[in-house]
């Protein structure tokens, strides 16, 4: 909803493109003619400009030793307003060690499954921005826990709700290097 990098980690279809049901039907028609639809997903960041972040998601943001978020300046593509830094969305790294956050992510992921997509490409799947450690113990982990330690668990949880032939691919996948 709203285009790329808007409202992360929400993966709601934009109503300007039709309803959920219409998108599901379009995906099914693509599959019928042999075109497999892979949806673009992003879980690393939360968009700090949303009510969702301000009301709930802030609780699951990764924090540094001083209790501050790990910020990301946001993306600026080729539009004049973004190049002028007028409407750039600011992000913070989220803590996938939080079981509550992973439940939110699983609900978002389930949308792709419910739409009948053949898979997802998870953008920036495991780089976590500048966050390597999270010091927020309210997430249910020890202070200074290594954020990457939950990534393989997260993929396992995705697999548990996806069909067997569902493609889960990612950019920046460091599942072996950062164990």
């Amino acid at each position: 909803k709203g285009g790329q990098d808007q409202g992360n980690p929400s993966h709601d279809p934009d109503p300007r493109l039709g309803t959920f049901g219409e998108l599901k039907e379009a995906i099914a028609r693509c599959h019928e003619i042999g075109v497999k639809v892979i949806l673009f997903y992003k879980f690393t960041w939360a968009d700090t400009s949303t009510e969702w972040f301000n009301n709930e998601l802030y609780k699951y943001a990764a924090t540094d030793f001083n209790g501050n978020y790990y910020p990301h300046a946001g993306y600026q593509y080729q539009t004049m307003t973004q190049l002028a830094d007028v409407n750039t969305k600011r992000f913070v790294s989220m803590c996938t060690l939080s079981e509550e956050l992973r439940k939110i992510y699983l609900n978002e992921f389930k949308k792709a499954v419910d739409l009948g997509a053949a898979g997802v490409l998870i953008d920036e799947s495991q780089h976590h921005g500048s966050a390597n450690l999270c010091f927020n113990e309210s997430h249910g982990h020890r202070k200074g826990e290594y954020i990457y330690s939950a990534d393989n668990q997260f993929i396992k949880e995705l697999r548990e709700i996806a069909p067997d032939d569902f493609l889960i691919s990612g950019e920046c996948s460091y599942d072996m290097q950062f164990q």
Side-chain angles (χ1 to χ4, degrees):
K1 184 176 178 181
Q4 184 174 341
D5 295 323
Q6 306 296 312
N8 290 335
S10 173
H11 295 89
D12 290 336
D14 196 312
R16 296 175 299 177
L17 302 174
T19 66
F20 189 92
E22 289 169 329
L23 179 56
K24 183 175 182 166
E25 183 180 325
I27 290 171
R29 284 188 294 183
C30 288
H31 290 186
E32 286 171 9
I33 63 169
V35 176
K36 299 298 182 189
V37 175
I38 308 298
L39 298 176
F40 187 80
Y41 264 53
K42 187 178 290 196
F43 294 116
T44 302
W45 314 108
D47 178 348
T48 62
S49 71
T50 67
E51 286 184 34
W52 192 17
F53 179 81
N54 292 313
N55 293 331
E56 180 185 12
L57 294 176
Y58 72 91
K59 296 183 281 190
Y60 313 118
T63 58
D64 66 16
F65 184 78
N66 297 307
N68 298 313
Y69 301 137
Y70 292 97
H72 184 284
Y75 296 102
Q76 295 169 308
Y77 298 105
Q78 291 76 30
T79 65
M80 289 303 296
T81 54
Q82 285 187 337
L83 292 172
D85 203 23
V86 172
N87 67 346
T88 306
K89 298 295 179 140
R90 308 296 181 208
F91 302 121
V92 296
S93 295
M94 300 302 284
C95 179
T96 53
L97 296 165
S98 166
E99 189 175 328
E100 292 303 312
L101 177 66
R102 288 198 317 275
K103 287 178 186 175
I104 290 168
Y105 285 176
L106 292 172
N107 285 331
E108 290 300 314
F109 175 76
K110 192 170 181 311
K111 293 173 186 178
V113 173
D114 290 346
L115 283 167
V120 294
L121 167 63
I122 302 175
D123 189 34
E124 301 168 342
S125 62
Q126 293 179 298
H127 74 64
H128 300 293
S130 59
N132 290 313
L133 307 174
C134 181
F135 291 85
N136 189 333
E137 293 175 287
S138 73
H139 298 161
H141 58 76
R142 67 180 173 81
K143 194 170 196 139
E145 182 74 33
Y146 189 53
I147 289 178
Y148 288 89
S149 64
D151 288 355
N152 287 335
Q153 175 63 32
F154 179 50
I155 296 300
K156 180 181 175 196
E157 291 166 351
L158 295 178
R159 283 265 165 240
E160 289 173 359
I161 59 174
D164 289 341
D165 62 347
F166 194 90
L167 175 70
I168 299 175
S169 59
E171 175 192 34
C172 303
S173 297
Y174 301 117
D175 53 324
M176 297 303 292
Q177 296 93 324
F178 292 153
Q179 289 188 34

